[in-house]
Amino acid sequence: MIRFVVIGHRAPTTGEFRLDDICGGAGRLDVLVRCINSTFFLSHDLRKDSEIYLVMQGGDDAPKTVRFYGPELRYLNPDERSTAALIRNALIKKVSTLECMSSPGVYISRMSLGELVNNLASRCEFVYLKEDGVDVRGYVFPENPCFILGDDKDLTEEEENKISSHLCSKISVGPLSLHADHCIIVVLNEMDRRCGLH
Amino acid sequence: MIRFVVIGHRAPTTGEFRLDDICGGAGRLDVLVRCINSTFFLSHDLRKDSEIYLVMQGGDDAPKTVRFYGPELRYLNPDERSTAALIRNALIKKVSTLECMSSPGVYISRMSLGELVNNLASRCEFVYLKEDGVDVRGYVFPENPCFILGDDKDLTEEEENKISSHLCSKISVGPLSLHADHCIIVVLNEMDRRCGLH
Protein backbone atom coordinates (compact mmCIF):
# COMPACT_ATOMS: atom_id res chain seq x y z
CA MET A 1 0.00 0.00 0.00
CA ILE A 2 1.29 3.44 -0.97
CA ARG A 3 -0.01 6.13 1.37
CA PHE A 4 -0.14 9.91 1.19
CA VAL A 5 -0.98 12.35 3.96
CA VAL A 6 -1.79 15.89 2.89
CA ILE A 7 -2.27 18.60 5.47
CA GLY A 8 -5.05 21.04 4.60
CA HIS A 9 -4.16 23.93 6.86
CA ARG A 10 -7.36 25.87 6.20
CA ALA A 11 -9.43 23.07 4.65
CA PRO A 12 -13.07 23.03 5.77
CA THR A 13 -14.31 20.63 8.45
CA THR A 14 -18.01 21.25 7.94
CA GLY A 15 -19.95 20.78 4.72
CA GLU A 16 -20.74 24.47 4.57
CA PHE A 17 -18.82 25.40 1.48
CA ARG A 18 -19.88 25.89 -2.13
CA LEU A 19 -18.73 23.46 -4.79
CA ASP A 20 -18.51 26.50 -7.08
CA ASP A 21 -15.77 28.05 -4.99
CA ILE A 22 -13.44 25.38 -3.65
CA CYS A 23 -10.37 27.47 -4.50
CA GLY A 24 -11.37 30.62 -2.63
CA GLY A 25 -14.11 30.09 -0.08
CA ALA A 26 -13.25 26.53 0.90
CA GLY A 27 -9.74 26.96 2.29
CA ARG A 28 -7.92 25.73 -0.80
CA LEU A 29 -9.84 22.49 -0.92
CA ASP A 30 -8.92 22.51 -4.62
CA VAL A 31 -5.34 21.54 -3.70
CA LEU A 32 -6.56 18.52 -1.76
CA VAL A 33 -8.93 17.27 -4.47
CA ARG A 34 -6.15 17.48 -7.03
CA CYS A 35 -3.98 15.39 -4.69
CA ILE A 36 -6.73 12.74 -4.69
CA ASN A 37 -6.75 12.78 -8.49
CA SER A 38 -2.95 12.33 -8.58
CA THR A 39 -3.04 9.50 -6.02
CA PHE A 40 -5.51 7.31 -7.86
CA PHE A 41 -5.89 8.05 -11.54
CA LEU A 42 -4.22 6.13 -14.31
CA SER A 43 -5.40 6.31 -17.89
CA HIS A 44 -8.69 4.34 -17.80
CA ASP A 45 -7.74 2.73 -14.50
CA LEU A 46 -7.32 3.43 -10.78
CA ARG A 47 -4.32 2.80 -8.54
CA LYS A 48 -6.07 0.43 -6.16
CA ASP A 49 -2.96 -0.01 -4.00
CA SER A 50 -3.05 3.64 -2.91
CA GLU A 51 -4.57 5.49 0.01
CA ILE A 52 -4.68 9.17 0.87
CA TYR A 53 -5.43 10.94 4.14
CA LEU A 54 -6.52 14.56 4.09
CA VAL A 55 -5.97 16.22 7.45
CA MET A 56 -8.50 19.06 7.50
CA GLN A 57 -7.52 21.77 9.94
CA GLY A 58 -9.78 24.70 9.08
CA GLY A 59 -13.26 25.79 10.07
CA ASP A 60 -15.36 25.26 13.15
CA ASP A 61 -15.12 21.52 13.62
CA ALA A 62 -11.38 20.91 13.22
CA PRO A 63 -9.59 18.61 13.10
CA LYS A 64 -11.08 15.97 10.84
CA THR A 65 -9.37 13.45 8.61
CA VAL A 66 -10.91 12.22 5.37
CA ARG A 67 -9.45 9.00 4.02
CA PHE A 68 -9.75 7.71 0.43
CA TYR A 69 -8.94 4.00 0.38
CA GLY A 70 -8.09 2.58 -3.07
CA PRO A 71 -9.19 -1.04 -2.68
CA GLU A 72 -12.77 -0.02 -1.86
CA LEU A 73 -13.04 3.26 -3.75
CA ARG A 74 -16.08 3.90 -5.96
CA TYR A 75 -17.76 6.93 -7.54
CA LEU A 76 -14.45 8.79 -7.91
CA ASN A 77 -14.24 10.89 -11.05
CA PRO A 78 -11.17 12.87 -12.12
CA ASP A 79 -12.74 16.33 -11.99
CA GLU A 80 -12.37 18.61 -8.98
CA ARG A 81 -16.03 19.36 -8.40
CA SER A 82 -17.26 15.77 -8.05
CA THR A 83 -14.34 14.87 -5.78
CA ALA A 84 -15.08 17.91 -3.62
CA ALA A 85 -18.66 16.64 -3.40
CA LEU A 86 -17.41 13.28 -2.04
CA ILE A 87 -15.45 15.19 0.62
CA ARG A 88 -18.48 17.31 1.47
CA ASN A 89 -20.59 14.16 1.85
CA ALA A 90 -18.00 12.92 4.34
CA LEU A 91 -17.87 16.22 6.26
CA ILE A 92 -21.64 16.43 6.74
CA LYS A 93 -21.72 12.99 8.37
CA LYS A 94 -22.07 12.94 12.16
CA VAL A 95 -18.80 11.53 13.41
CA SER A 96 -17.97 10.75 17.04
CA THR A 97 -14.86 8.86 18.13
CA LEU A 98 -14.76 6.08 15.54
CA GLU A 99 -13.99 6.49 11.87
CA CYS A 100 -17.06 5.99 9.69
CA MET A 101 -17.67 5.50 5.98
CA SER A 102 -19.49 8.13 3.92
CA SER A 103 -19.32 6.39 0.53
CA PRO A 104 -17.48 3.28 -0.69
CA GLY A 105 -13.79 3.79 0.09
CA VAL A 106 -14.26 7.23 1.68
CA TYR A 107 -13.96 7.51 5.47
CA ILE A 108 -14.15 10.33 7.97
CA SER A 109 -12.78 10.61 11.50
CA ARG A 110 -11.85 13.22 14.08
CA MET A 111 -8.16 12.30 13.94
CA SER A 112 -5.64 15.11 14.26
CA LEU A 113 -2.29 15.00 12.47
CA GLY A 114 -0.61 13.80 15.70
CA GLU A 115 -3.11 10.98 16.18
CA LEU A 116 -2.95 9.97 12.53
CA VAL A 117 0.84 9.82 12.55
CA ASN A 118 0.89 7.77 15.77
CA ASN A 119 -1.72 5.46 14.31
CA LEU A 120 0.18 4.90 11.06
CA ALA A 121 3.67 4.63 12.57
CA SER A 122 3.51 0.89 13.20
CA ARG A 123 2.36 0.15 9.64
CA CYS A 124 4.51 2.38 7.47
CA GLU A 125 7.59 4.52 7.20
CA PHE A 126 7.14 8.25 6.81
CA VAL A 127 8.64 10.08 3.86
CA TYR A 128 8.40 13.84 4.09
CA LEU A 129 8.35 15.72 0.78
CA LYS A 130 10.38 18.87 1.12
CA GLU A 131 12.61 20.92 -1.15
CA ASP A 132 15.78 20.23 0.86
CA GLY A 133 15.31 16.46 0.93
CA VAL A 134 17.39 13.93 -1.00
CA ASP A 135 16.48 13.47 -4.66
CA VAL A 136 13.69 10.90 -5.10
CA ARG A 137 15.67 9.29 -7.95
CA GLY A 138 18.43 8.19 -5.61
CA TYR A 139 16.10 7.27 -2.78
CA VAL A 140 15.46 3.66 -1.72
CA PHE A 141 11.73 3.48 -1.00
CA PRO A 142 10.64 1.59 2.11
CA GLU A 143 8.22 -1.30 1.67
CA ASN A 144 5.23 0.65 2.98
CA PRO A 145 5.92 4.33 2.44
CA CYS A 146 3.66 7.06 3.72
CA PHE A 147 4.45 10.34 1.94
CA ILE A 148 3.62 13.51 3.82
CA LEU A 149 2.98 16.87 2.14
CA GLY A 150 1.59 20.29 2.91
CA ASP A 151 -1.18 21.84 0.81
CA ASP A 152 -0.26 25.28 -0.54
CA LYS A 153 1.47 26.00 2.80
CA ASP A 154 4.55 24.30 4.18
CA LEU A 155 4.26 22.26 7.33
CA THR A 156 4.67 24.28 10.52
CA GLU A 157 7.56 23.49 12.84
CA GLU A 158 5.09 21.87 15.23
CA GLU A 159 3.74 19.65 12.46
CA GLU A 160 7.24 18.71 11.34
CA ASN A 161 8.08 17.71 14.92
CA LYS A 162 5.11 15.35 15.04
CA ILE A 163 6.48 13.47 12.04
CA SER A 164 10.14 13.59 12.88
CA SER A 165 9.53 11.97 16.27
CA HIS A 166 9.05 8.82 14.16
CA LEU A 167 11.46 7.26 11.68
CA CYS A 168 11.27 9.63 8.74
CA SER A 169 13.10 10.28 5.48
CA LYS A 170 13.02 13.55 3.61
CA ILE A 171 12.95 13.61 -0.19
CA SER A 172 12.56 16.17 -2.95
CA VAL A 173 11.09 15.63 -6.40
CA GLY A 174 13.33 17.89 -8.46
CA PRO A 175 15.02 21.24 -8.79
CA LEU A 176 11.84 23.34 -8.67
CA SER A 177 9.20 23.67 -5.99
CA LEU A 178 5.98 22.05 -7.26
CA HIS A 179 2.34 21.92 -6.26
CA ALA A 180 1.48 19.05 -3.91
CA ASP A 181 -0.50 17.13 -6.55
CA HIS A 182 2.37 17.45 -9.03
CA CYS A 183 4.80 16.10 -6.40
CA ILE A 184 2.58 13.02 -6.03
CA ILE A 185 2.76 12.40 -9.79
CA VAL A 186 6.56 12.54 -9.78
CA VAL A 187 6.83 10.21 -6.77
CA LEU A 188 4.44 7.65 -8.26
CA ASN A 189 6.20 7.76 -11.63
CA GLU A 190 9.48 6.99 -9.86
CA MET A 191 7.87 4.12 -7.92
CA ASP A 192 6.27 2.73 -11.11
CA ARG A 193 9.71 2.62 -12.70
CA ARG A 194 11.23 0.79 -9.72
CA CYS A 195 8.64 -1.96 -10.07
CA GLY A 196 10.59 -3.05 -13.13
CA LEU A 197 7.64 -2.44 -15.42
CA HIS A 198 9.61 -0.34 -17.84
CA MET B 1 9.72 28.08 -25.24
CA ILE B 2 8.22 24.71 -24.26
CA ARG B 3 5.01 24.01 -26.13
CA PHE B 4 2.21 21.52 -25.65
CA VAL B 5 -0.60 20.68 -28.06
CA VAL B 6 -3.54 18.78 -26.60
CA ILE B 7 -6.28 17.48 -28.86
CA GLY B 8 -9.73 17.76 -27.36
CA HIS B 9 -11.64 15.34 -29.51
CA ARG B 10 -15.08 16.28 -28.17
CA ALA B 11 -14.14 19.59 -26.51
CA PRO B 12 -16.72 22.35 -26.99
CA THR B 13 -16.26 25.08 -29.58
CA THR B 14 -19.09 27.32 -28.41
CA GLY B 15 -19.47 28.82 -24.96
CA GLU B 16 -22.67 26.87 -24.39
CA PHE B 17 -21.54 24.61 -21.60
CA ARG B 18 -21.98 24.76 -17.85
CA LEU B 19 -18.99 25.37 -15.62
CA ASP B 20 -20.67 22.97 -13.17
CA ASP B 21 -20.35 20.09 -15.57
CA ILE B 22 -17.08 20.31 -17.48
CA CYS B 23 -16.42 16.59 -17.03
CA GLY B 24 -19.69 15.30 -18.46
CA GLY B 25 -21.56 17.86 -20.54
CA ALA B 26 -18.54 19.73 -21.91
CA GLY B 27 -16.80 16.96 -23.85
CA ARG B 28 -14.15 16.26 -21.20
CA LEU B 29 -13.03 19.86 -21.00
CA ASP B 30 -11.81 18.89 -17.51
CA VAL B 31 -8.89 17.02 -19.10
CA LEU B 32 -7.84 20.12 -21.03
CA VAL B 33 -8.03 22.49 -18.05
CA ARG B 34 -5.89 20.13 -15.99
CA CYS B 35 -3.35 20.15 -18.82
CA ILE B 36 -3.23 23.95 -18.54
CA ASN B 37 -2.62 23.66 -14.81
CA SER B 38 0.25 21.20 -15.39
CA THR B 39 1.80 23.36 -18.10
CA PHE B 40 2.07 26.52 -16.04
CA PHE B 41 1.92 26.02 -12.29
CA LEU B 42 4.90 25.91 -10.01
CA SER B 43 4.59 26.40 -6.28
CA HIS B 44 3.84 30.12 -5.95
CA ASP B 45 5.08 30.77 -9.48
CA LEU B 46 4.22 30.26 -13.15
CA ARG B 47 6.27 28.69 -15.91
CA LYS B 48 6.44 31.74 -18.12
CA ASP B 49 8.45 29.93 -20.81
CA SER B 50 5.53 27.59 -21.59
CA GLU B 51 2.68 27.66 -24.06
CA ILE B 52 -0.22 25.30 -24.62
CA TYR B 53 -2.56 24.90 -27.59
CA LEU B 54 -5.91 23.22 -27.08
CA VAL B 55 -7.33 21.94 -30.35
CA MET B 56 -11.08 21.84 -29.76
CA GLN B 57 -12.83 19.47 -32.12
CA GLY B 58 -16.32 19.06 -30.68
CA GLY B 59 -19.59 20.93 -30.97
CA ASP B 60 -21.13 23.05 -33.68
CA ASP B 61 -18.30 25.46 -34.46
CA ALA B 62 -15.32 23.12 -34.75
CA PRO B 63 -12.42 23.37 -35.12
CA LYS B 64 -11.11 26.08 -32.83
CA THR B 65 -7.75 26.39 -31.12
CA VAL B 66 -7.34 28.10 -27.76
CA ARG B 67 -3.80 29.13 -26.92
CA PHE B 68 -2.45 29.97 -23.45
CA TYR B 69 0.81 31.88 -23.79
CA GLY B 70 2.99 31.97 -20.66
CA PRO B 71 4.84 35.28 -21.12
CA GLU B 72 1.58 37.27 -21.23
CA LEU B 73 -0.66 35.08 -19.10
CA ARG B 74 -2.77 36.69 -16.38
CA TYR B 75 -5.82 35.74 -14.32
CA LEU B 76 -4.92 32.04 -14.38
CA ASN B 77 -5.78 30.21 -11.16
CA PRO B 78 -5.01 26.57 -10.48
CA ASP B 79 -8.59 25.35 -10.08
CA GLU B 80 -10.51 23.75 -12.93
CA ARG B 81 -13.59 25.96 -12.82
CA SER B 82 -11.86 29.32 -13.24
CA THR B 83 -9.65 27.97 -16.02
CA ALA B 84 -12.71 26.59 -17.81
CA ALA B 85 -14.21 30.09 -17.51
CA LEU B 86 -11.17 31.55 -19.30
CA ILE B 87 -11.71 29.04 -22.10
CA ARG B 88 -15.41 29.86 -22.27
CA ASN B 89 -14.56 33.56 -22.52
CA ALA B 90 -12.37 32.71 -25.51
CA LEU B 91 -15.01 30.53 -27.16
CA ILE B 92 -17.75 33.16 -26.98
CA LYS B 93 -15.56 35.67 -28.82
CA LYS B 94 -16.40 36.28 -32.47
CA VAL B 95 -13.44 34.95 -34.39
CA SER B 96 -12.92 35.13 -38.13
CA THR B 97 -9.68 34.22 -39.89
CA LEU B 98 -7.16 35.86 -37.58
CA GLU B 99 -6.30 34.73 -34.06
CA CYS B 100 -7.61 37.14 -31.43
CA MET B 101 -7.04 37.65 -27.71
CA SER B 102 -9.81 37.05 -25.18
CA SER B 103 -7.84 37.85 -22.00
CA PRO B 104 -4.14 38.52 -21.35
CA GLY B 105 -2.20 35.54 -22.69
CA VAL B 106 -5.30 33.67 -23.93
CA TYR B 107 -5.94 33.54 -27.70
CA ILE B 108 -8.55 31.94 -29.92
CA SER B 109 -8.45 31.02 -33.58
CA ARG B 110 -10.16 28.76 -36.09
CA MET B 111 -7.03 26.68 -36.66
CA SER B 112 -7.45 22.96 -37.17
CA LEU B 113 -4.84 20.47 -36.02
CA GLY B 114 -3.40 20.29 -39.54
CA GLU B 115 -3.09 24.08 -39.82
CA LEU B 116 -1.61 24.37 -36.34
CA VAL B 117 1.00 21.72 -37.00
CA ASN B 118 1.96 23.31 -40.33
CA ASN B 119 2.16 26.68 -38.62
CA LEU B 120 4.39 25.42 -35.79
CA ALA B 121 6.64 23.18 -37.87
CA SER B 122 9.15 25.90 -38.74
CA ARG B 123 9.54 26.98 -35.11
CA CYS B 124 9.72 23.72 -33.17
CA GLU B 125 10.24 20.00 -33.28
CA PHE B 126 7.28 17.75 -32.54
CA VAL B 127 7.46 15.19 -29.77
CA TYR B 128 4.51 12.83 -29.66
CA LEU B 129 3.67 11.34 -26.26
CA LYS B 130 2.65 7.75 -26.71
CA GLU B 131 3.03 4.54 -24.69
CA ASP B 132 5.29 2.85 -27.26
CA GLY B 133 7.73 5.78 -27.52
CA VAL B 134 11.27 5.84 -26.17
CA ASP B 135 11.63 6.54 -22.46
CA VAL B 136 11.72 10.28 -21.73
CA ARG B 137 14.69 9.73 -19.39
CA GLY B 138 16.91 8.63 -22.24
CA TYR B 139 15.57 11.19 -24.70
CA VAL B 140 17.59 14.18 -25.89
CA PHE B 141 15.14 17.09 -25.98
CA PRO B 142 15.25 19.39 -28.99
CA GLU B 143 15.82 23.09 -28.36
CA ASN B 144 12.19 24.03 -29.02
CA PRO B 145 10.07 20.99 -28.32
CA CYS B 146 6.36 20.87 -29.00
CA PHE B 147 4.82 17.95 -27.15
CA ILE B 148 1.62 16.52 -28.62
CA LEU B 149 -0.94 14.59 -26.59
CA GLY B 150 -4.51 13.35 -26.86
CA ASP B 151 -7.11 14.12 -24.21
CA ASP B 152 -8.79 11.01 -22.79
CA LYS B 153 -8.72 9.52 -26.30
CA ASP B 154 -5.68 8.54 -28.33
CA LEU B 155 -4.92 10.38 -31.53
CA THR B 156 -6.66 8.94 -34.57
CA GLU B 157 -4.56 7.53 -37.41
CA GLU B 158 -5.43 10.62 -39.46
CA GLU B 159 -4.23 12.91 -36.66
CA GLU B 160 -1.04 10.90 -36.25
CA ASN B 161 -0.37 11.24 -39.97
CA LYS B 162 -0.63 15.03 -39.76
CA ILE B 163 2.15 15.08 -37.19
CA SER B 164 4.37 12.40 -38.63
CA SER B 165 4.55 14.20 -41.97
CA HIS B 166 6.89 16.53 -40.04
CA LEU B 167 10.04 15.63 -38.13
CA CYS B 168 8.69 13.96 -35.02
CA SER B 169 10.01 11.93 -32.10
CA LYS B 170 7.86 9.62 -29.98
CA ILE B 171 8.44 9.34 -26.24
CA SER B 172 6.77 7.66 -23.27
CA VAL B 173 6.77 8.85 -19.68
CA GLY B 174 6.98 5.54 -17.86
CA PRO B 175 5.69 2.01 -17.58
CA LEU B 176 2.04 2.91 -17.00
CA SER B 177 -0.41 4.82 -19.15
CA LEU B 178 -1.16 8.16 -17.48
CA HIS B 179 -3.65 10.99 -17.85
CA ALA B 180 -2.52 13.74 -20.24
CA ASP B 181 -1.99 16.29 -17.43
CA HIS B 182 0.11 13.80 -15.47
CA CYS B 183 2.26 13.14 -18.56
CA ILE B 184 2.97 16.88 -18.78
CA ILE B 185 4.18 16.88 -15.17
CA VAL B 186 6.61 14.02 -15.80
CA VAL B 187 7.96 15.63 -18.98
CA LEU B 188 8.49 19.02 -17.31
CA ASN B 189 10.16 17.41 -14.29
CA GLU B 190 12.59 15.67 -16.64
CA MET B 191 13.28 18.95 -18.48
CA ASP B 192 13.79 20.81 -15.18
CA ARG B 193 16.42 18.27 -14.22
CA ARG B 194 18.25 18.61 -17.55
CA CYS B 195 18.58 22.34 -16.97
CA GLY B 196 21.20 21.47 -14.39
CA LEU B 197 19.21 23.04 -11.61
CA HIS B 198 19.39 19.96 -9.43
Side-chain angles (χ1 to χ4, degrees), chain A residues 136-137 186 189-191 193-194 198, chain B residues 134-141 171-173 186 189-190 193-194:
Chain A
V136 64
R137 291 206 185 172
V186 175
N189 181 254
E190 184 63 27
M191 292 194 81
R193 288 166 174 274
R194 301 290 180 87
H198 205 68
Chain B
V134 300
D135 186 1
V136 65
R137 292 205 184 172
Y139 177 68
V140 180
F141 292 102
I171 64 169
S172 83
V173 296
V186 175
N189 181 255
E190 184 63 28
R193 290 167 174 273
R194 302 288 180 87

Side-chain angles (χ1 to χ4, degrees), chain A residues 20 28 34 37 42-44 78 80-81 135 137 152 173-175 177 179 182 185 189-190 193 197-198, chain B residues 20 34 37 42-44 78 80-81 135 137 152 173-175 177 179 182 185 189-190 193 197-198:
Chain A
D20 290 349
R28 295 309 306 273
R34 285 195 295 278
N37 173 303
L42 292 170
S43 185
H44 309 292
E80 291 178 3
R81 184 185 173 92
D135 186 359
R137 291 206 185 172
D152 61 316
V173 296
S177 182
H179 279 205
H182 298 171
I185 293 301
N189 181 254
E190 184 63 27
R193 288 166 174 274
L197 296 168
H198 205 68
Chain B
D20 290 350
R34 284 195 296 277
N37 173 302
L42 291 169
S43 186
H44 308 291
E80 291 177 4
R81 186 186 172 91
D135 186 1
R137 292 205 184 172
D152 62 316
V173 296
S177 183
H179 278 204
H182 299 172
I185 293 301
N189 181 255
E190 184 63 28
R193 290 167 174 273
L197 296 166
H198 204 68

